[in-house]
Amino acid sequence: MGKTLFDKIWDRHVVKTIAGGPSVLYIDKHFIHEVTSPQAFKGLQQRGLKVFRPGQVVATADHNVPTLNQHLPIKEELSRIQVEQLKKNCAEFGIELYGLGHPYQGIVHVIGPELGITQPGMTIVCGDSHTSTHGAFGTIAFGIGTSEVEMVLATQCLMHTKPKLMRITVDGELNKGVVSKDIILYIIAQISASGATGYAVEYAGSAIRNLSMEARMTICNMSIEMGARCGMIAPDETAFAYIKDKEFAPQGDAWGKAVNTWRTLYSDADAVFDKELHISAENIEPMITYGTNPGMGIGITGHVPALGEIDEREKPSFEKSLLYMGLTPGENIKGKKVDYVFIGSCTNSRIEDLRMVAAFVKGKKKAGNVEVWVVPGSKQVEKQAIEEGINKVFEDAGFVLRQPGCSACLGMNEDKIPAGKYCISTSNRNFEGRQGPNARTLLASPLTAAAAAITGEVTDVRELI
Amino acid sequence: MGKSINIIQSRAVPLTIENIDTDQIIPARFLKATSRDGFGKNLFRDWRYENGDEQKPKAGFPLNNPAYSGKILVAAKNFGCGSSREHAAWAIKDYGFDVVVSSFFADIFKNNALNNFLLPVLVSENFLQQLFDEVQKDPSTVLEVNLEDQYIKIASTGAKESFDINSYKKTCLLNGYDDIDYLLNMKPEIEKFEKQYA
């Protein structure tokens, strides 16, 4: 029997398997940031340990950083302490830090790929659930807790049981106005916020194959929103072309050798998955969420489910969710007024996302009732956007281009959506309070978010392109 | 850490909402600490208090209901989804819970719980409903969780269900061992692995 892509990478990294228990898995790359690492470093200090392989750890500051005036000291005291603590820890333990002010600083899942640190066949972890993003390159990449961050710092290993395997095949051509964010929101709406729990998911099919690397990252990024341990896509020429000549990509002879190895990373034709799901790309329309978990998504022309469409047992959670969102069962989502538009996060803050938005808004003006924040994923994305004049397009449209960070995706810094306000957001989570206490989040693609910025309401972008 | 667990007999607190994510368990604005302590007071902060104000507890929320208490949290399916923040497990443990029962746990949360000697007990949808029914009918209902023998029992009715846990993790929890101790002891093997791997 053939092997899956997941098996091939997993098997190569197993140091040992404990009978009736987990495997000891070797980790190639470990990304850390200021929020989930301080207690891990403290643990090392208490045990008198060093970082075992500091060269395999890369740090950045992203969750807590301001997105305006980054050259000034961080105003919020606790945020400042956390960012300073990261700096101290990295200096003490010999870890490379791309902190505030560094030209490589940015959201951890944006900088790993753009620097060529993320490479096919690797095992990658980070104390952040959206680590699944890196799976777009054919890696096993997943989020871990702080105790596990400490384990990897101390031993470069983790103890995990092998997940089950699911393949989601998306075939066909995408409709006009439909982008990769819509694919993943559609998949999650189909299988629910827990539909892939316990599984590693491989995405395959012609619609996936035709996507750019950045679009693929958007899909793998949100694998965790259906509970998946990780999401992955077999690396191909598109992936190799993306990685080539990146800062930390293999150079010279090493490049050819690496690509030859990477070409072996695919699921064999006779490989067997525990679960298979097939989706026709033609069935996907621009998507939007109406509820408080990412599985509560509908097509833009659809309606919030009526009570009769909800399973009896799920009604209390559904009603609580709608009450929070200020929505009525059965109502249409199109035409709903929005107050804020957030374009950013590790899901959709890369240069292609910004280009997509800029191409759409060029020559248009934002609606008077909305505030629009565009937060680039990294210093390099920001620089590129300025070089291409995208900042000018945004300025003319009345959008504010801020500085890199996680920003309003989770509102740990001052970028919060006020209570009761609606925000159409390109981020990954619409949980209660995620963007600020009592803020109401509607998840959508950069294109759908941009359309709402122009009209001031939930809009079917297909009517404007 | 190093705190072992085995038999827990206690009342329980029921949370019947599904898909409780870690942002609810501990909102992001409380993740700015650099130590592991003291997260319990912010557990379910925004569900517990009006506008986050400790002076204004929300009456309907089970943690604010004096009838409910104990070391066992019983929660509806897909508990702990979302962010990988271990702060969620720290907050639940720090509040005083030793066990979380649900019909479905998110992966990362489950690992984080185990690494903090907070026992996740997975039960069937039917048994979960029985637990909710009994505890809501009579909040003084005592549940017994036995890790050694891998069962959970409702003391009053005798209803009982067994639960799974891998034998390695079970040994860790019963004896107070951490994964990190195991891994540190494996350093020579890891170094050997690196040599043949490179």
Side-chain angles (χ1 to χ4, degrees):
Chain A
M1 192 175 73
K3 277 180 148 191
T4 63
L5 167 62
F6 184 93
D7 290 328
K8 288 179 183 177
I9 303 172
W10 176 273
D11 292 351
R12 202 171 121 68
H13 289 85
V14 172
V15 178
K16 173 185 177 177
T17 297
I18 300 167
S23 294
V24 175
L25 192 69
Y26 190 78
I27 303 302
D28 294 314
K29 282 285 180 276
H30 184 194
F31 293 105
I32 60 169
H33 61 83
E34 75 277 21
V35 176
T36 58
S37 67
Q39 295 88 348
F41 283 111
K42 200 167 269 182
L44 293 184
Q45 285 159 338
Q46 280 163 357
R47 292 172 195 262
L49 296 170
K50 289 192 165 114
V51 171
F52 183 52
R53 295 290 178 246
Q56 287 167 240
V57 189
V58 177
T60 191
D62 55 3
H63 281 63
N64 233 334
V65 300
T67 58
L68 293 175
N69 297 315
Q70 286 185 344
H71 61 290
L72 298 176
I74 300 175
K75 277 189 260 173
E76 221 269 319
E77 194 193 355
L78 291 175
S79 298
R80 191 178 65 244
I81 292 173
Q82 238 180 14
V83 171
E84 280 168 2
Q85 190 64 49
L86 179 70
K87 208 170 165 181
K88 264 189 239 162
N89 288 333
C90 287
E92 181 182 338
F93 289 93
I95 293 167
E96 185 80 57
L97 168 67
Y98 303 136
L100 272 186
H102 193 286
Y104 294 164
Q105 181 267 337
I107 304 175
V108 61
H109 311 308
V110 174
I111 69 168
E114 84 181 359
L115 291 170
I117 297 170
T118 302
Q119 295 169 17
M122 285 179 168
T123 47
I124 298 176
V125 295
C126 173
D128 187 284
S129 60
H130 294 110
T131 307
S132 58
T133 311
H134 306 265
F137 292 84
T139 68
I140 294 180
F142 54 91
I144 55 177
T146 299
S147 294
E148 292 181 308
V149 170
E150 187 180 337
M151 291 174 212
V152 182
L153 289 175
T155 68
Q156 208 57 36
C157 285
L158 272 181
M159 304 185 71
H160 270 255
T161 45
K162 192 174 169 182
K164 289 181 285 184
L165 303 178
M166 183 190 302
R167 178 162 59 188
I168 300 178
T169 306
V170 188
D171 277 318
E173 293 285 326
L174 289 175
N175 293 311
K176 183 180 84 164
V178 174
V179 295
S180 70
K181 180 66 164 285
D182 300 304
I183 300 178
I184 189 63
L185 285 174
Y186 180 86
I187 292 171
I188 304 168
Q190 294 283 308
I191 73 171
S192 91
S194 59
T197 303
Y199 290 90
V201 173
E202 180 180 341
Y203 302 95
S206 61
I208 301 291
R209 216 36 57 232
N210 290 335
L211 296 174
S212 70
M213 285 318 292
E214 298 196 354
R216 293 179 193 183
M217 283 187 245
T218 300
I219 292 191
C220 289
N221 172 276
M222 288 191 73
S223 303
I224 182 67
E225 308 311 336
M226 49 188 180
R229 182 100 279 243
C230 63
M232 62 202 311
I233 295 170
D236 58 5
E237 296 307 320
T238 307
F240 309 150
Y242 178 96
I243 300 165
K244 194 165 175 20
D245 300 326
K246 292 270 189 290
E247 180 75 28
F248 296 101
Q251 310 288 334
D253 290 348
W255 171 257
K257 211 176 140 217
V259 172
N260 281 339
T261 311
W262 296 345
R263 284 191 209 284
T264 65
L265 298 173
Y266 54 85
S267 289
D268 296 331
D270 56 345
V272 177
F273 289 80
D274 298 292
K275 200 168 176 177
E276 296 247 23
L277 189 68
H278 293 271
I279 284 167
S280 297
E282 289 81 2
N283 292 341
I284 307 174
E285 61 169 343
M287 296 289 294
I288 189 156
T289 65
Y290 61 88
T292 55
N293 75 57
M296 300 172 89
I298 48 177
I300 199 88
T301 59
H303 62 270
V304 176
L307 275 180
E309 297 171 81
I310 300 295
D311 184 84
E312 201 54 44
R313 207 175 251 187
E314 289 172 3
K315 267 185 191 162
S317 303
F318 175 77
E319 287 178 317
K320 182 180 192 301
S321 181
L322 257 52
L323 184 69
Y324 180 87
M325 290 300 294
L327 295 171
T328 318
E331 81 170 299
N332 288 332
I333 196 82
K334 213 176 110 181
K336 189 88 199 161
K337 283 263 178 283
V338 299
D339 310 292
Y340 284 79
V341 176
F342 172 61
I343 295 165
S345 87
C346 56
T347 315
N348 284 120
S349 65
R350 296 178 180 83
I351 192 65
E352 285 180 15
D353 298 311
L354 270 50
R355 281 182 192 141
M356 186 196 310
V357 172
F360 173 78
V361 303
K362 197 173 175 135
K364 299 187 179 79
K365 287 249 182 286
K366 77 167 183 73
N369 60 308
V370 290
E371 199 165 315
V372 186
W373 298 341
V374 184
V375 181
S378 69
K379 288 305 281 181
Q380 295 207 70
V381 171
E382 181 189 33
K383 185 165 167 265
Q384 182 77 24
I386 292 167
E387 278 171 17
E388 294 181 18
I390 288 173
N391 58 330
K392 192 76 191 41
V393 174
F394 289 160
E395 201 178 297
D396 292 345
F399 292 14
V400 182
L401 180 66
R402 300 170 78 105
Q403 292 171 301
C406 298
S407 182
C409 172
L410 82 168
M412 269 198 85
N413 66 353
E414 49 277 85
D415 305 348
K416 292 180 175 65
I417 306 303
K421 298 293 184 191
Y422 288 93
C423 177
I424 189 159
S425 176
T426 67
S427 55
N428 39 57
R429 289 189 175 135
N430 49 359
F431 298 152
E432 285 185 29
R434 174 80 180 180
Q435 298 195 286
N438 292 312
R440 293 159 164 169
T441 305
L442 307 164
L443 300 175
S445 78
L447 215 44
T448 296
I454 300 306
T455 62
E457 59 186 44
V458 175
T459 300
D460 186 345
V461 67
R462 293 171 297 185
E463 292 167 6
L464 301 180
I465 51 178
Chain B
M1 189 75 44
K3 192 184 157 217
S4 62
I5 47 176
N6 186 6
I7 297 167
I8 289 141
Q9 283 175 310
S10 163
R11 289 189 185 191
V13 179
L15 284 181
T16 57
I17 294 296
E18 294 178 351
N19 299 310
I20 293 179
D21 60 79
T22 52
D23 272 85
Q24 307 318 312
I25 299 172
I26 184 86
R29 62 185 186 280
F30 300 114
L31 307 186
K32 298 186 184 193
T34 51
S35 80
R36 289 170 176 246
D37 313 313
F39 286 98
K41 71 176 183 336
N42 294 319
L43 176 67
F44 291 110
R45 181 77 186 200
D46 293 336
W47 284 4
R48 252 160 100 188
Y49 305 114
E50 279 314 331
N51 303 319
D53 183 349
E54 277 172 53
Q55 306 306 315
K56 295 181 191 159
K58 293 185 183 177
F61 191 60
L63 285 187
N64 294 334
N65 183 341
Y68 296 125
S69 62
K71 295 179 178 175
I72 302 173
L73 183 66
V74 183
K77 78 168 181 208
N78 201 24
F79 185 80
C81 59
S83 155
S84 63
R85 60 188 70 166
E86 191 163 317
H87 313 65
W90 297 338
I92 294 171
K93 186 79 183 178
D94 186 52
Y95 186 88
F97 293 110
D98 285 327
V99 178
V100 187
V101 183
S102 182
S103 58
F104 203 97
F105 288 101
D107 247 3
I108 306 179
F109 174 80
K110 192 168 77 184
N111 281 336
N112 287 340
L114 288 166
N115 284 329
N116 288 280
F117 296 87
L118 173 66
L119 177 64
V121 171
L122 185 71
V123 296
S124 67
E125 201 61 58
N126 272 337
F127 194 76
L128 183 74
Q129 199 53 51
Q130 280 186 53
L131 292 173
F132 281 144
D133 291 346
E134 292 301 323
V135 173
Q136 285 177 324
K137 198 171 69 192
D138 177 7
S140 71
T141 299
V142 169
L143 307 182
E144 181 188 327
V145 174
N146 186 316
L147 174 60
E148 176 78 56
D149 296 331
Q150 295 181 222
Y151 69 79
I152 173 168
K153 191 165 108 178
I154 304 172
S156 53
T157 65
K160 190 170 160 180
E161 191 169 271
S162 59
F163 63 87
D164 277 341
I165 182 165
N166 79 52
S167 56
Y168 164 80
K169 262 296 162 197
K170 182 173 164 178
T171 308
C172 286
L173 293 176
L174 287 171
N175 297 291
Y177 300 152
D178 286 331
D179 279 1
I180 194 162
D181 299 326
Y182 188 95
L183 289 171
L184 287 170
N185 284 327
M186 267 193 65
K187 274 266 184 79
E189 275 176 85
I190 296 169
E191 280 169 343
K192 208 173 118 199
F193 173 87
E194 283 179 319
K195 286 203 185 85
Q196 56 83 30
Y197 170 78

